[in-house]
Amino acid sequence: MLFEEYSYFDYQFPEPQYLGAKHTHLAWIQKFIPKDINSALDAFSGSQSVAFLFKQNGFQTITNDFLNFNNQIGLALIENAKEKITQEDLEVLFKTAKNKEDYQLIESVFTGVFFEKEEAEFLDNFRANIPLLNNPYKEALVYSIINRSMTRKITMGHFGHTQALKYASDPERIKRNRSLIRPVKEIFEDLLPKYNNAVFDNKQENQSFNENILDLLPKLDNVDLAYFDPPYCDSHADYQSFYHLLETYTEYWEDKQFINGIKRYEPQRFSGFDKKRDVVDSFEKLFEYSQEIPHWLISYNDRSYPSVEELTKIISKYKDVEVKAKAYRNGRGGKGSVAGSHEVLFVCKPKKKHVINKNQEVQKIHEGL
Ligand SMILES: C[S@@+](CC[C@H](N)C(=O)[O-])C[C@H]1O[C@@H](n2cnc3c(N)ncnc32)[C@H](O)[C@@H]1O
């Protein structure tokens, strides 16, 4: 590692609030990153915590998530090398929007669900102004921060429930968590410097994608390491129910229905990794399409479907695999990480091949090492 690359570790990843985020496991994951690689893919990047680690390592980083609000964090903190939000940008964002009447989605759908009317109006007005920044990286930073602000304000940090307004008027809960009653604008202003300070240039052409990973993989080449952290099927896999509000705010859907008490958009995007009926087939394809990538690291949980043993079998068709496990001391990050379960990492390397040389001697060689 060059001297300069050590300094990338001075940049702090803004702490996420995302089910299954790996920011608390980064030191552990770092131990299994192969030496002497140049490029790395974070295929199911969520909060972007692992992609950020790759960027800090000085790798050319390719990051992807099929939800656009996560891709916006990828554009803001992984692909973006220098754009930050300035005081002038804030003036643009906070002014009264000229096209206010075209931006009423949050007020009309989510008033009385997650927000009081005034807060919903603020969010619509702010959303109308984001495109005026006219710079995809600045816009991505703003989406990342405002989405994070909403997660901080709403009780439990996700949107798969209808308790937000009830808890925000409960003095006991407010005492424990003042963010429940803070205006989103104030939370945004608090978080802004953390995101601005996390923007850096690692001198690589990093890229953020917003695709189903099975569509993206065939288009990629020259990737040395793939990190796979799929939803844990049968644990907490339904990201679109937990975080629908952030996707709706980012996409500002006009062609969806908003269903159930939580007003989740419908139809949802197709994942392939969140339902038992699809997941084995999706893993088969994922590994088949990744076979040219020499190293894989796969995060998993020993309470998920398919089992660790079954997944090991599927991986073994393509790679030599070692299974590392780390116990959870306390339940963090949802059902999949309750105390007693294990965070699992499959460490996958090119298969050792048996080659017969001229003298018919069998030699073991390591491919690509
Ligand atoms: C366990 S989370 C990843 C957490 C991430 N490593 C972090 O540190 O925040 C799984 C992610 O996979 C995404 N996802 C689900 N199905 C996908 C697919 N077919 N292609 C790409 N991303 C997908 C979800 O949106 C979710 O963000």
Side-chain angles (χ1 to χ4, degrees):
M1 199 186 260
L2 299 172
F3 178 72
E4 201 178 34
E5 288 171 3
Y6 284 110
S7 68
Y8 301 149
F9 283 91
D10 293 343
Y11 293 97
Q12 284 241 325
F13 182 64
E15 191 175 320
Q17 202 174 356
Y18 193 64
L19 286 166
K22 294 296 176 294
H23 62 295
T24 54
H25 298 298
L26 292 180
W28 186 58
I29 292 172
Q30 172 79 21
K31 287 202 265 180
F32 301 102
I33 295 178
K35 306 286 167 259
D36 305 324
I37 63 160
N38 297 313
S39 58
L41 162 71
D42 186 355
F44 300 84
S45 55
S47 71
Q48 308 287 343
S49 66
V50 177
F52 197 83
L53 176 73
F54 290 159
K55 187 175 177 184
Q56 288 180 307
N57 273 284
F59 304 150
Q60 184 197 1
T61 304
I62 299 153
T63 186
N64 176 63
D65 197 284
F66 84 145
L67 297 182
N68 191 13
F69 73 91
N70 289 324
N71 167 51
Q72 294 301 318
I73 313 172
L75 292 169
L77 298 183
I78 308 300
E79 194 172 306
N80 178 19
K82 62 174 201 311
E83 299 293 348
K84 299 188 183 198
I85 303 303
T86 62
Q87 194 53 42
E88 293 81 72
D89 297 328
L90 289 181
E91 280 156 28
V92 172
L93 292 167
F94 292 145
K95 71 183 181 188
T96 302
K98 287 203 178 100
N99 49 350
K100 242 177 129 155
E101 61 289 349
D102 299 333
Y103 283 81
Q104 299 190 352
L105 183 66
I106 303 301
E107 187 198 332
S108 65
V109 178
F110 296 104
T111 301
V113 183
F114 296 113
F115 307 108
E116 304 293 359
K117 189 166 187 292
E118 196 187 335
E119 191 76 288
E121 276 173 347
F122 164 78
L123 284 164
D124 281 325
N125 187 86
F126 186 89
R127 177 65 183 75
N129 289 332
I130 297 177
L132 303 183
L133 295 179
N134 235 337
N135 175 316
Y137 295 129
K138 287 189 180 211
E139 291 172 42
L141 263 169
V142 172
Y143 283 120
S144 308
I145 307 168
I146 193 76
N147 285 334
R148 180 69 181 85
S149 309
M150 286 191 262
T151 330
R152 184 172 279 186
K153 181 175 173 66
I154 299 304
T155 192
M156 296 184 261
H158 67 79
F159 310 93
H161 63 82
T162 51
Q163 300 302 304
L165 295 177
K166 189 173 146 209
Y167 285 10
S169 59
D170 177 342
E172 274 310 304
R173 292 197 182 262
I174 296 165
K175 227 192 269 168
R176 289 204 295 272
N177 177 10
R178 257 193 49 78
S179 293
L180 299 179
I181 51 160
R182 289 174 78 200
V184 177
K185 181 175 186 230
E186 197 185 299
I187 304 177
F188 179 94
E189 286 170 324
D190 255 18
L191 290 173
L192 176 68
K194 294 195 171 66
Y195 281 77
N196 266 347
N197 292 337
V199 174
F200 70 99
D201 184 1
N202 76 346
K203 312 278 162 46
Q204 301 278 359
E205 294 286 317
N206 305 308
Q207 277 178 294
S208 182
F209 291 95
N210 178 209
E211 294 195 36
N212 186 310
I213 190 59
L214 299 181
D215 297 330
L216 178 66
L217 275 167
K219 297 184 239 167
L220 299 177
D221 41 32
N222 296 325
V223 179
D224 300 324
L225 165 68
Y227 173 67
F228 300 121
D229 186 16
Y232 299 161
C233 190
D234 233 15
S235 308
H236 53 263
D238 193 359
Y239 283 87
Q240 295 186 88
S241 287
F242 284 125
Y243 298 106
H244 63 94
L245 177 73
L246 309 183
E247 193 67 350
T248 293
Y249 189 72
T250 307
E251 294 282 0
Y252 224 72
W253 305 113
E254 284 181 356
D255 54 351
K256 301 273 187 193
Q257 282 184 292
F258 297 97
I259 63 160
N260 301 337
I262 60 171
K263 304 288 178 195
R264 170 177 71 70
Y265 58 85
E266 179 71 24
Q268 290 184 308
R269 295 185 199 275
F270 177 73
S271 162
F273 291 88
D274 56 358
K275 303 222 167 39
K276 271 186 153 180
R277 62 168 185 261
D278 305 317
V279 68
V280 171
D281 187 47
S282 297
F283 272 124
E284 300 263 10
K285 289 202 180 95
L286 182 75
F287 299 144
E288 186 193 330
Y289 298 168
S290 306
Q291 51 186 312
E292 301 299 324
I293 301 175
H295 300 275
W296 304 344
L297 291 174
I298 307 167
S299 280
Y300 210 58
N301 181 292
D302 60 359
R303 297 198 174 179
S304 307
Y305 176 84
S307 67
V308 169
E309 291 71 33
E310 276 174 80
L311 200 56
T312 306
K313 243 189 238 162
I314 307 177
I315 298 167
S316 302
K317 284 193 222 163
Y318 300 101
K319 302 284 171 191
D320 285 344
V321 52
E322 266 184 83
V323 181
K324 310 282 178 186
K326 193 180 166 209
Y328 281 100
R329 266 166 296 151
N330 48 20
R332 289 187 75 145
K335 216 176 134 198
S337 55
V338 286
S341 71
H342 292 86
E343 178 70 25
V344 170
L345 193 69
F346 294 92
V347 180
C348 312
K349 297 189 175 134
K351 269 186 185 289
K352 289 173 193 157
K353 276 201 181 144
H354 291 88
V355 175
I356 303 190
N357 72 11
K358 276 189 205 146
N359 305 323
Q360 299 292 294
E361 276 175 32
V362 177
Q363 277 190 337
K364 276 186 173 178
I365 62 160
H366 291 262
E367 198 181 58
L369 286 177

